[in-house]
């Protein structure tokens, strides 16, 4: 992959802080996701004080105020941050898969993770890719240094691995939100090009890919994946139960080092701050340059309904009544139905 085409510019914040033994970690996202990436990075530093890191962040653009906060983070924790501003105009020509089109616009950031190894290959032979909706609650040094042989990636089984594996006739299926990548093997086998070719092949045949880029990663890497325990990718769902629907059972996140908030509801919503594992996330936020970044208030019918359920779970009955009334009103006042 020619990185000159996919990249507009790159630079490093405080490169002089880079240590030879640093563990490299990469995040991707649009600019509005930077605060949550910043909280995830903070949680990693808080729970791994004896380790050396270098962070890599792939973005569509970088606002000046976020640049200042990233620099503040870098200075506080004495860690370099490599920034990559991606060329969305070019990347959008590489794929026309309909699932990447939102509100009529192709969101190139969905493809960024495909390019992480190419961009970092001259700096490191290994990188841990993380989604921004994670929180670290323990040591990840064992995972970062794990011997995975000649496997290209190491990652944990998806929560619905049996169902998803059957769909594509695979023996197993991983969640792509947390992936330890053997960059040398990735580059040797030209995985980035294979991912893009396979994605477009499915598109040309009008084959539905419910999980899009995650499906493609599983298909291409089916014989090159080293599976690890969910200690390093524990799925956690914040959906609240209704009166007629049983609560979702999550595994105990206290035993995990990396917790992944899967699904549409995230820890940066105002109505989930009493959940114990969200308190861990909130502690990281409070210790980050993004401490004052506002949480998301419920702004859709689904979100208002979830907030009402959360109030009921917290025994905040007056707030619950107000939210249920607001939910009923939202069905008639033009409030959008989906979204959180």
């Amino acid at each position: 992959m020619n990185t000159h085409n996919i990249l507009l510019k790159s630079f490093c914040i405080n490169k002089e802080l880079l240590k030879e033994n640093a563990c490299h970690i990469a995040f991707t996202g649009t600019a509005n996701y930077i605060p949550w990436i910043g909280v995830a990075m903070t949680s990693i530093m808080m729970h791994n004080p004896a380790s050396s890191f270098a962070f890599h962040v792939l973005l569509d653009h970088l606002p000046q105020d976020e640049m200042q906060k990233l620099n503040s983070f870098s200075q506080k924790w004495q860690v370099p941050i490599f920034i990559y501003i991606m060329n969305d105009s070019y990347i959008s020509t590489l794929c026309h898969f309909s699932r990447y089109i939102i509100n009529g616009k192709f969101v190139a950031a969905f493809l960024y993770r495909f390019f992480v190894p190419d961009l970092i290959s001259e700096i490191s032979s290994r990188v841990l890719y993380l989604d921004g909706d994670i929180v670290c609650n323990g040591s990840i040094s064992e995972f970062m240094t794990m011997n995975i042989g000649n496997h290209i990636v190491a990652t944990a089984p998806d929560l619905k691995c049996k169902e998803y594996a059957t769909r594509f006739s695979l023996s197993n299926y991983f969640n792509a939100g947390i992936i330890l990548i053997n960059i040398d093997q990735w580059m040797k086998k030209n995985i980035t090009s294979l991912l893009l070719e396979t994605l477009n092949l499915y598109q040309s045949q009008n084959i539905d890919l419910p999980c899009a880029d995650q499906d493609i990663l599983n298909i291409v890497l089916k014989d090159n994946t080293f599976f690890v325990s969910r200690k390093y990718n524990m799925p956690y769902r914040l959906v609240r139960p209704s009166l007629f629907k049983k609560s979702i059972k999550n595994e105990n996140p206290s035993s995990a080092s990396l917790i992944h908030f899967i699904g549409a509801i995230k820890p940066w919503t105002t109505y989930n701050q009493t959940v114990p594992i969200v308190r861990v996330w909130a502690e990281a936020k409070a210790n980050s340059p993004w401490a004052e970044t506002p949480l998301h208030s419920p702004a859709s019918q689904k979100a208002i309904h979830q907030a009402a359920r959360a109030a009921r779970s917290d025994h905040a009955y007056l707030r619950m009544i107000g939210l249920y009334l607001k939910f009923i009103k939202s069905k008639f006042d033009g409030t959008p139905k989906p979204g959180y």
Side-chain angles (χ1 to χ4, degrees):
M1 169 62 61
N2 186 347
T3 58
H4 294 296
N5 292 328
I6 63 172
L7 195 62
L8 291 178
K9 65 177 179 178
S10 63
F11 57 93
C12 185
I13 300 172
N14 298 319
K15 190 174 183 178
E16 69 279 3
L17 297 175
L18 179 62
K19 297 180 180 178
E20 188 175 348
N21 65 337
C23 294
H24 293 258
I25 298 178
F27 292 89
T28 65
T30 50
N32 65 316
Y33 223 64
I34 295 173
W36 319 132
I37 291 172
V39 174
M41 293 194 303
T42 302
S43 70
I44 290 168
M45 300 307 298
M46 290 175 62
H47 293 278
N48 293 268
S51 299
S52 297
F53 294 101
F55 291 104
H56 302 258
V57 186
L58 285 62
L59 299 165
D60 58 343
H61 70 282
L62 177 58
Q64 185 58 36
D65 61 332
E66 296 294 1
M67 173 65 185
Q68 293 171 355
K69 290 173 183 175
L70 287 168
N71 184 62
S72 176
F73 172 90
S74 173
Q75 293 285 1
K76 177 179 178 177
W77 296 103
Q78 291 292 286
V79 60
I81 305 176
F82 292 82
I83 301 294
Y84 307 84
I85 305 301
M86 307 300 286
N87 185 353
D88 283 8
S89 295
Y90 176 77
I91 293 172
S92 65
T93 68
L94 300 176
C95 169
H96 302 284
F97 197 61
S98 60
R99 285 190 176 270
Y100 295 138
I101 300 174
I102 298 178
N103 297 326
K105 180 182 177 182
F106 185 90
V107 182
F110 285 119
L111 293 178
Y112 288 176
R113 81 179 79 188
F114 288 179
F115 308 119
V116 167
D118 300 80
L119 294 170
I120 302 177
S121 61
E122 294 185 4
I123 303 173
S124 177
S125 61
R126 175 175 289 207
V127 64
L128 177 62
Y129 167 79
L130 299 174
D131 279 352
D133 54 355
I134 67 99
V135 66
C136 182
N137 193 34
S139 172
I140 59 172
S141 60
E142 183 179 342
F143 184 36
M144 294 290 300
T145 58
M146 183 179 291
N147 181 5
I148 65 172
N150 288 324
H151 291 93
I152 297 175
V153 296
T155 188
D158 191 82
L159 198 62
K160 296 183 178 181
C161 57
K162 291 183 179 179
E163 174 187 335
Y164 292 167
T166 299
R167 180 189 298 145
F168 297 106
S169 300
L170 304 173
S171 60
N172 208 337
Y173 185 101
F174 60 81
N175 180 278
I178 298 175
I179 313 174
L180 181 64
I181 302 173
N182 180 338
I183 294 178
D184 291 343
Q185 288 296 313
W186 181 290
M187 302 296 290
K188 180 180 178 181
K189 298 190 177 181
N190 203 22
I191 297 301
T192 304
S193 294
L194 287 174
L195 291 170
L196 294 171
E197 289 170 7
T198 306
L199 185 61
N200 281 294
L201 176 63
Y202 274 76
Q203 174 195 312
S204 66
Q205 296 178 358
N206 294 315
I207 299 175
D208 185 40
L209 294 175
C211 299
D213 48 312
Q214 179 170 277
D215 291 336
I216 293 299
L217 282 160
N218 273 274
I219 292 165
V220 171
L221 297 169
K222 62 182 179 180
D223 298 320
N224 292 285
T225 300
F226 183 87
F227 282 89
V228 299
S229 77
R230 289 202 179 110
K231 175 181 179 180
Y232 300 114
N233 188 352
M234 177 159 295
Y236 197 93
R237 293 166 292 180
L238 289 168
V239 175
R240 299 302 184 101
S242 68
L243 293 172
F244 308 102
K245 185 177 181 180
K246 293 181 180 180
S247 61
I248 290 175
K249 293 188 180 299
N250 292 299
E251 292 183 63
N252 184 355
S254 64
S255 62
S257 291
L258 291 169
I259 295 90
H260 187 188
F261 295 99
I262 62 173
I265 309 175
K266 302 303 181 184
W268 47 85
T269 45
T270 56
Y271 48 94
N272 282 297
Q273 298 307 298
T274 60
V275 178
I277 190 58
V278 174
R279 288 176 179 166
V280 175
W281 180 89
E283 183 183 7
K285 181 178 184 291
N287 282 279
S288 79
W290 296 271
E292 302 303 318
T293 300
L295 298 173
H296 290 188
S297 298
S300 70
Q301 291 181 37
K302 286 189 175 182
I304 296 167
H305 201 187
Q306 282 293 312
R309 294 177 184 177
R312 179 168 54 83
S313 297
D314 294 340
H315 307 292
Y317 297 116
L318 285 177
R319 187 168 77 247
M320 177 196 75
I321 292 170
L323 285 164
Y324 273 122
L325 290 173
K326 185 177 180 181
F327 171 64
I328 294 170
K329 180 176 180 291
S330 74
K331 291 179 169 292
F332 305 98
D333 65 4
T335 299
K337 184 176 181 178
Y340 291 94

